[in-house]
Amino acid sequence: MISETDTGDEASDGWFPESVAANYDDPGGANAPEVVTPAVDVLEDLADGPVLEFAVGTGRIAIPLAARGVPVSGIELSRAMAARIEGKPGGDAVDVTIGDMTETRVDGEFSLVFLVFNTIGNVTTQDGQVDVFRNAAAHLRPGGLFLVEVGLPALRRLPPGQDIVPFAMAPGYVGFDQYDVVTQEFTSNHVTVTPDGQGRFHRIPFRYVWPAELDLMARIAGMRLKYRWADWDRSEFTAESTKHVSVWERDS
């Protein structure tokens, strides 16, 4: 039997409640050192003073960045995710505020605000995404930087009449995205089946957003594009890129 219902989760934690947070730090994938280290390298290089991470999660990026001597604060909606930070080595160096990154304010002025791992897409309206940019700009000192890491929608893989693109398949697991090309909404769907036949279906909604659209959001918030790379290695962004790391600078 496959269930879509999670028991014991707090609705206030949004799409990353305890049932998700419990496995979020599993080894490999986004937590692998070869994934984390290049991101931290770039963020350390861009930082010129205190930094703020929107959707800090369990501290995957914030904690190693703080360990390099960068003062790090974070905003996180999910208490279940944020609770993991304090219990990790070095987690006490990250100052976390519980709240929504579209509107929550943190005291201080920052040299860099960053939002990684596709999380801009978890804000599922265009107005909400604009609010993220406005909130980032409000935290930045003049000339400060806002960085977003986000994947590009796999629409080129959709043949006519199809709205689903699989992205992962492994023993006991299937992952696929389902797109609505009219609204720019899509869901990432995860089906997990244990060896004893018990299954779980977990769906997370997103809104995909094009680089040019993000640039316009930045302009609305008083920022302009400074860098756009295909990945954390600062490689060239091309028509074949599947993601981008973009940096906007707040107007002086």
Side-chain angles (χ1 to χ4, degrees), residues 67-92:
R68 298 190 184 189
V70 178
V72 181
S73 298
I75 295 173
E76 175 55 49
L77 179 66
S78 169
R79 293 180 182 274
M81 295 284 278
R84 265 72 185 174
I85 295 177
E86 187 175 350
K88 293 181 178 180
D92 56 351

Side-chain angles (χ1 to χ4, degrees), residues 64-147:
L65 183 59
R68 298 190 184 189
V70 178
V72 181
S73 298
I75 295 173
E76 175 55 49
L77 179 66
S78 169
R79 293 180 182 274
M81 295 284 278
R84 265 72 185 174
I85 295 177
E86 187 175 350
K88 293 181 178 180
D92 56 351
V94 180
D95 184 16
V96 179
T97 298
I98 300 298
D100 187 329
M101 64 183 173
T102 65
E103 61 183 4
T104 299
R105 291 297 307 274
V106 174
D107 290 339
E109 196 172 59
F110 297 88
S111 68
L112 171 69
V113 176
F114 61 97
L115 176 59
V116 301
F117 202 41
N118 302 319
T119 314
I120 186 68
N122 289 131
V123 180
T124 55
T125 67
Q126 187 182 67
D127 285 346
Q129 291 174 340
V130 170
D131 287 341
V132 171
F133 274 76
R134 284 176 165 153
N135 199 27
H139 283 93
L140 289 172
R141 68 191 188 197
L145 305 175
F146 180 39
L147 178 147

Side-chain angles (χ1 to χ4, degrees), residues 30-219:
N31 297 313
E34 60 268 25
V35 176
V36 172
T37 300
V40 175
D41 288 344
V42 170
L43 294 166
E44 180 186 20
D45 185 56
L46 294 176
D48 183 22
V51 305
L52 173 64
E53 181 174 7
F54 283 179
V56 66
T58 64
R60 179 181 70 97
I61 299 296
I63 292 174
L65 183 59
R68 298 190 184 189
V70 178
V72 181
S73 298
I75 295 173
E76 175 55 49
L77 179 66
S78 169
R79 293 180 182 274
M81 295 284 278
R84 265 72 185 174
I85 295 177
E86 187 175 350
K88 293 181 178 180
D92 56 351
V94 180
D95 184 16
V96 179
T97 298
I98 300 298
D100 187 329
M101 64 183 173
T102 65
E103 61 183 4
T104 299
R105 291 297 307 274
V106 174
D107 290 339
E109 196 172 59
F110 297 88
S111 68
L112 171 69
V113 176
F114 61 97
L115 176 59
V116 301
F117 202 41
N118 302 319
T119 314
I120 186 68
N122 289 131
V123 180
T124 55
T125 67
Q126 187 182 67
D127 285 346
Q129 291 174 340
V130 170
D131 287 341
V132 171
F133 274 76
R134 284 176 165 153
N135 199 27
H139 283 93
L140 289 172
R141 68 191 188 197
L145 305 175
F146 180 39
L147 178 147
V148 171
E149 175 199 19
V150 63
L152 293 168
L155 302 188
R156 292 171 65 185
R157 296 176 58 194
L158 285 176
Q162 180 174 312
D163 63 357
I164 288 176
V165 175
F167 61 79
M169 180 175 290
Y173 173 75
V174 174
F176 60 92
D177 289 330
Q178 186 171 23
Y179 290 95
D180 184 332
V181 297
V182 174
T183 64
Q184 292 184 215
E185 295 175 359
F186 74 101
T187 58
S188 282
N189 302 273
H190 308 267
V191 180
T192 305
V193 180
T194 62
D196 63 0
Q198 295 298 307
R200 177 171 179 264
F201 175 43
H202 181 59
R203 175 190 290 125
I204 302 178
F206 290 88
R207 179 185 187 268
Y208 67 80
V209 56
W210 300 105
E213 189 180 2
L214 291 171
D215 291 344
L216 183 56
M217 293 178 184
R219 291 285 298 274

